[in-house]
Amino acid sequence: MDFSVLTEHAGEIGSGFLMTLWTWIGGVALALAAGLVIAVIQLSAGPWIRGALRCYIEVIRATPFLVQLFLLYYGGPSFGLSLSPMAAGLIGLGLYGSVYFAEIFRTGFTSIPQGQIEAAQMLGLTSRQIVCRVQIPQMLVLILPALVNFTTILGKETPVLSIITVPELTFVLTGVGAETFAYVETLLALCVGYFILAELCSRLGQWLERRASLYLTQGVRTPRTLKPQETAA
Amino acid sequence: MFDPGLLIQSLPLLLAGLWNTVWLSAGGLLAGFVIGVGVCSLKLSERTVLRRLGGAYVSVFRGIPLLIQLLFIYYLLPRLGLDVPAWVAAMAGLALCCGAYLSEILRGGFLTLPPGQVEAARLLGLGGRDILVRIKLPQALRATLPALLNEVILLIKASSLISAVGLAELTRTAQNLAASTFLQLQFYLAAAVLYCVVNISLALLAGRLERRFEAGRA
Amino acid sequence: MSVLPLTKNGHEVMLEARGMSKRFGEHTVLRDISLSIQRSEVVCLIGPSGSGKSTLLRSLAFLEAYDDGEVFVEGELLGYDRAQGGRRVISRPARLREVRRNMGMVFQQFNLWPHMSVAENVMEALIRGRRLSRAKARKLALETLEKVGLVDKADAWPNRLSGGQQQRVAIARSLAMSPAIMLFDEPTSALDPELVGEVLQVMKHLAEEGMTMVVVTHEMGFAAQVADRVVFLDGGQIVEQGAPAKLFREPSSPRLAQFLKNYLERNSLFDDRPAANGTCL
């Protein structure tokens, strides 16, 4: 084996790695935002909108990510939606991830005791304030493991973007492999690269969960109101 | 954009693609199940080395994206002088990855078994393999059936990646038809509908089993 | 200020139900309830479990949407707007908040927000709803906590407090919004017996200060001592109501007599004082 092909193409590989990171983070951000919106609508909208969202969720869950990407990237122009590979990849990841995140958020919302919400209503908080101030802060702690887990899964879907020619790590390295016939070396590098990404993500997740469980037992955060200028009574 | 006549004409091709998807997934599932049981018993073993080995298998095959695993097998096997047909490589890829996930599901199932049962079986003189096959596995299977069906859905979706190594399963068939007719939207939609039919049926089945199982436990 | 409706003897009516009914599916839980509560009046709702007393209280706050009849809070219709043709529609959230603005509620399960400190629990609605600055809200929160005797716990986490303390924080949280009417839904039922007294003490103070209160309770001693009027519900209907002294000594309906008898049997096992004479708290 000869790993010098890797050092020779270090620049491309580096930019591919960055592209992977960027699409991953961008996709997760889009999916989180869309998922939260879907979950909130599901909780508050009427039966028709809820039914439509349910259909959307079921269809996305039942079809392969690759087919969704093809629909978006190759099928898009048929209804006037011409996207660059990069844009199609980001939107694809966002759509695909949104339904899974929405389910996670939904379970999170329903796990907050109804009484806490009624108390907030009786104190005159608006439903948006209740969502933002009472429900989300508490449920984020509860659903954190599930969020981290799915973020990792979404990361492992990013190589699929190479199939619609997004110049991310897999695209770059398989390209280098085809050019130099150093398939094994480049594929090994790919394995190592994604393994490192997955490991990093799960470590980050474990760290976050530890912080969060401390937060739940309420030892780590000193209340903001302890600031000296505010303690004067 | 749409050409219904052409769609009907190419329906046999699409269905053949779906059939390939289904049997490749089924084969991957069966082989993956065997791997899963093996890895799971490694992870539940009393010896640290074996437990580590099982853990390493799971984190490698769950940590590396399936597409990379498939490409690896596809390119590596010929290098090793193994000239296997593409479908064997594809199915092996699915099985290796699926095995890692199944082992974790089964482990969850095994861990819920009361330890008293195994002790009772041992007292009755059953050997280790008999205990696994006759006592533990059937119960673990029942307890994890909904999760296993869910895994089948994931596997069917994952099998679309086989298209990348050129095998004419459903996604690849749709891709070929789309490219040759320029009716991209039509054929990808058709593929999506077929995936939906299979997977939503499976999901409904899983939901029913889950409810029945919960009712049985209550 | 809207002019409040007055009763015959010139009292202001703070909260009123007229012919109110509530159904859950086929099951009617409240039947033709009419009840009017005057300023500074303390009304205790008693009755066997399942009699609908909690549902009545929750309907008075529109946490349950009543089906027929009306509820008026300080003269304003609660929960519904009159639409054209005599039909009515459920109020928009903003309107509901407006009608409920002078109403506070205390729950059986306290319902404090566990991710906020005690002071933050009290400050939250002051900042978000009343638009006070943090400093002002904090000052007001500490003053209110002082009233319930918990100012030293201002920066503690709710889960670290005893049940009685948590309930007092919940009362303070409600009180900080300076409500004119306070509703209590079995405020001591989730508490260990030795913690009940501290919460009842706080409520008694509130009553003495002239707060209008509607209290669903199992504490007959509290009802006897503090209530101006006791309302006995059974089967979703008001069976009997009146001054506690009269109601507890000479119940006119057999159902109330039976209810009181059961209560005494349960509660006076090692207590030679009669529970209904108003001396035990």
Side-chain angles (χ1 to χ4, degrees), chain A residues 118 124 133 217-218 221, chain C residues 58 97 114-115 124 157 160:
Chain A
E118 288 180 352
R133 300 283 307 167
T217 52
Q218 296 167 344
R221 202 185 62 147
Chain C
R58 291 169 58 81
R97 280 198 298 278
H115 59 300
E124 184 66 18
W157 294 102
R160 295 288 166 87

Side-chain angles (χ1 to χ4, degrees), chain A residues 103-112 135 138-139 142-143:
Chain A
E103 289 288 282
I104 297 173
F105 282 127
R106 205 167 58 95
T107 32
F109 276 123
T110 50
S111 67
I112 307 296
Q135 294 181 282
Q138 290 188 66
M139 81 175 198
L142 293 173
I143 64 178

Side-chain angles (χ1 to χ4, degrees), chain A residues 24 147-157 197-198 201-202:
Chain A
W24 185 10
L147 291 181
V148 171
N149 186 30
F150 189 72
T151 299
T152 318
I153 292 177
L154 216 50
K156 282 186 283 180
E157 297 287 355
L197 277 180
C201 187
S202 84

Side-chain angles (χ1 to χ4, degrees), chain A residues 16-79:
Chain A
F17 190 80
L18 284 182
M19 180 60 94
T20 288
L21 259 184
W22 159 227
T23 47
W24 185 10
I25 294 171
V28 167
L30 270 177
L32 276 173
L36 186 57
V37 170
I38 292 173
V40 170
I41 294 176
Q42 273 189 313
L43 287 179
S44 51
W48 284 103
I49 297 175
R50 276 212 310 272
L53 278 178
R54 195 72 245 165
C55 284
Y56 167 74
I57 289 174
E58 290 304 329
V59 166
I60 297 270
R61 285 169 71 111
T63 47
F65 176 52
L66 180 58
V67 174
Q68 294 163 18
L69 271 186
F70 281 160
L71 268 173
L72 204 60
Y73 183 62
Y74 295 115
S78 305
F79 46 92

Side-chain angles (χ1 to χ4, degrees), chain B residues 33-45:
Chain B
F33 188 76
V34 175
I35 295 174
V37 172
V39 173
C40 175
S41 44
L42 282 184
K43 281 203 84 171
L44 292 175
S45 143

